[in-house]
Structure formats: C-alpha cells, structure tokens
Amino acid sequence: MDRLVCYNCGASYSFGTAARCTCGEPLWFETDDEAVSWPGADPGSTDAVSYGHDSLWRYESVLPAVAPVGLAAAAGGTPLLRTPSIETADGPRVHLKLEGTNPTGSFKDRGTAVGIGRVDGPVGTVSHGNMALSVAAHAAATDREAVILVAEDTPDSRLAMIAQHDPHLFRVRGDYGRLYYDTLDGDLGVTFLNSDSPLRVAGQKTVAYEICEAFRPEVPDAIVLPVSSGGQASGVWKALRELRSAGLIADLPRIYLAQAARCDPIAQAYRRGASRVDPVTDEPTAAVSINNADPPSGNRALAAVHDTNGAVLSIAEETLLAETKRLAAEAGIAVEPSCAVATAAVQELSESTELGSDEDVAVIVTGSGYKYESPETESTAVREIDRGDVPAAVRDLAS
Ligand SMILES: *Cc1c(COP(=O)(O)O)cnc(C)c1O
Ligand SMILES: [Zn+2]
C-alpha cells in the first residue's frame, strides 16, 4: 500500500514523494478492494500484538503499516454505547463511540499508531492538544525522539501534561497556522504526523470500520462528529467509500459535522453553498481542540458532507458548554467541550426532524474530559460538613 491519491483530481503519487497534491488538496492512501473484508471472528489470539483487547489492528489489511509492538497496539477497539439517557422521544437512537478510552484519551491515537507503525526515526507534530500528547506518548513507547511544536500562548498546565513523555517541546512565535505547511518539507529529518497527514487519515478511518462492523449487515443512518482540520472527517468518509467499493455496505451513512460557532469556517462554507472553505477570524471558544480557523482538509470534509447528504452545524458557545455538563450529569461521560458539539448537533438535527425517531445515529465522542479542567457550574458546590454529621446528612438524601 504505497500509492497516495487525490480525492479531488485523481492524481496519484508514490508515498513519500508529495505532501499535498499539485491541485492544492490533501492526499490519502489508495486501498485495493481485495484488501477490504470483515476480519475473522477471533481477535483475541495471543499471537496478536494486543490481546484481551480488540484494537484497530483488526483492520491491518487496509492499513499502510504493520502493527508495532507497544502502546500503538492499544489504539482503537473502542466501545460503541447505546445511550438512552440522552435520547429524546422524537429523536434517533444514539450510539456513542467512546474514543476517550484510547491510550492517551482521544481518537488521535489511531492516526499516531499507524504513523508509528509505518515510519522509522523521529516523529513530530504541530499541536498543543491531544495530538501532541498522543505523538509524545507513542514516541516514548517506541524509544524515539519526538518534536512537538506548540503555539506561543499554550498554557503551562497543558505543556506539563505533554512534557511527561519527554519530547522536544518548542513554543513557537509567529503564524502558528502556517507552521503546518512548513513542516511538510521532507528534508527536516523528522516525520511530521500532522492532523490530516495520509498516515493519520488511514489510522482514523478505522473508527468508521468499527462502527460499520458493529452495525453489519446494516449501517447507521448517520455518523456525527466534531471537525477541526478535517482529518478525522476525511478518514470516516474514506472508510465508508472503501466499504462500499468492496461491496460490504450498500449505502453511506450521512456524515454530519459539528463546529463551535466561534470558529466555524467549514460550517460557513456549507451555509454559503460553497465547495471551498475560506479562513475565518475566530473568537476564543471553550472548544479548544477544534479551534482551527484555516483547516487544511476543510474542502475535503465539505466534500464528504455533500457526497453523503449530510450537513455542517455551528453550535453556540452556551449550548456546547451546557451539553458538556449534560453528558457528564446524564450519561456519566466526561468530555471536552470540543466533543459536546457533536451530541449538541444531534439535538438540533432531531428538533429540525432531519434525524428521525426511527433512525440510528453513531456519534464520535472524540476524547475524554478528564484531561481538562471542567467548567465551573453551580452543582460543583461542595458542602463542608463535620464527620459526626455525615450519617444524618446521608440519610436525609435518601429520604
Ligand atoms: C483533534 C480533535 C478533533 C478534530 O479532529 P480533526 O481531525 O482535526 O478534524 C475533535 N475532537 C477532539 C477531542 C480532538 O482532539
Ligand atoms: Zn489533486
């Protein structure tokens, strides 16, 4: 599996010879139909690199990498959880794909694992969030150097979390958005696994393989996910196309993407009816992991939505904060605000009857909330109490 192709113009390149297509669009790995099949029923063999756990390496035949030993073997294989407590009477059945159970707490481990399984030597990334944490951890697990380029305003608490894994951490002054393109230069001696790099997209497509395999022989009516760079959305679209091309699914689920209203370039392009995404000027949002004003795979994400008859939604700041709280309080699932936009989108799609009560929707809950400080809410109020008063207070609650 060594060919990269452009979804937009069809041009093809061998791996390592081009970072983007000459038409300007991102590339992804070509997959032969013969490689695509549902894996056997026995993922639990102790010959596998991961056992007692069903990882993304279940789909090794459609990946441009071999399963490495170590942390990468724990990526993927996440639970898909029907969650009636957050469903509404007129809304669809909601199935949450809990990506927070990946080794570093987000779906980014899927792309990192495939990158680590393919390239030798040092790796790097342009990120101060989940991707930085993931690349730093997987580099540590394989005894290699990691270069992490963070933005100038990255909080120290965030840096400390990444620094645990001993990467080379650089706080970069200057245009952080353009830095992504600087790192595509093949002469750096470090392979940058950025948000929408072909290896990362290949890893991230496995989330849709897992969802479709869980629903087989049917597919869910829709898949809803947050979008920032467009890397994960590209991976989901790619997986669905591969499965259809190989005859394993008949119809593509509709792909719905959700953004924070304060930084929503892809949603704006969608509403304009455009096929190209223009950069926007963003405002600060609590959804920090999806705050990309100039997404490198924005056009491709938009193409995924058009191809599958989905939509792109903008979620208001108050709504995404309230939804973060609702998931924790009503489903027991702590998420970042960046994830809550997706379930908030399900609510809005139900209200507008675009998702019906006879439908199944899979929502990608992209990362765990336990890594981030939770927003303060009223119910955070803690009561001070003397030890002797505890039994009476507890009995009061029960009565
Ligand atoms: C990176 C990230 C996203 C966005 O993914 P893209 O591939 O950049 O579109 C969404 N949610 C979380 C928690 C993330 O870390
Ligand atoms: Zn092209």
Side-chain angles (χ1 to χ4, degrees), residues 106-108 130 195 204 226-233 289-290 336 338-339 366-367:
S106 84
F107 79 87
K108 296 291 198 307
N130 291 319
S195 49
Q204 280 153 198
V227 62
S228 179
S229 70
Q232 179 174 232
S289 298
I290 54 170
E336 301 177 40
S338 301
C339 310
T366 45

Side-chain angles (χ1 to χ4, degrees), residues 75-91:
T78 59
L80 183 65
L81 194 71
R82 171 87 192 273
T83 316
S85 65
I86 61 161
E87 292 174 2
T88 55
D90 305 327

Side-chain angles (χ1 to χ4, degrees), residues 1 8 12 33 62 98 143 148 156 191 282 287 290 347 353 364 370 390:
M1 221 171 289
N8 181 46
S12 111
D33 283 350
V62 293
L98 298 182
D143 193 23
I148 310 291
D156 286 345
T191 307
D282 56 322
I290 54 170
Q347 300 262 89
T353 69
I364 305 181
Y370 289 119
V390 170

Side-chain angles (χ1 to χ4, degrees), residues 7 11 46-47 143 183 245 249 279 307 392:
Y7 79 96
T46 50
D47 295 336
D143 193 23
T183 59
S245 174
I249 64 174
D307 182 45

Side-chain angles (χ1 to χ4, degrees), residues 278-299:
D278 291 330
V280 296
T281 318
D282 56 322
E283 291 168 62
T285 165
V288 289
S289 298
I290 54 170
N291 190 353
N292 191 329
D294 186 8
S297 276
N299 299 335

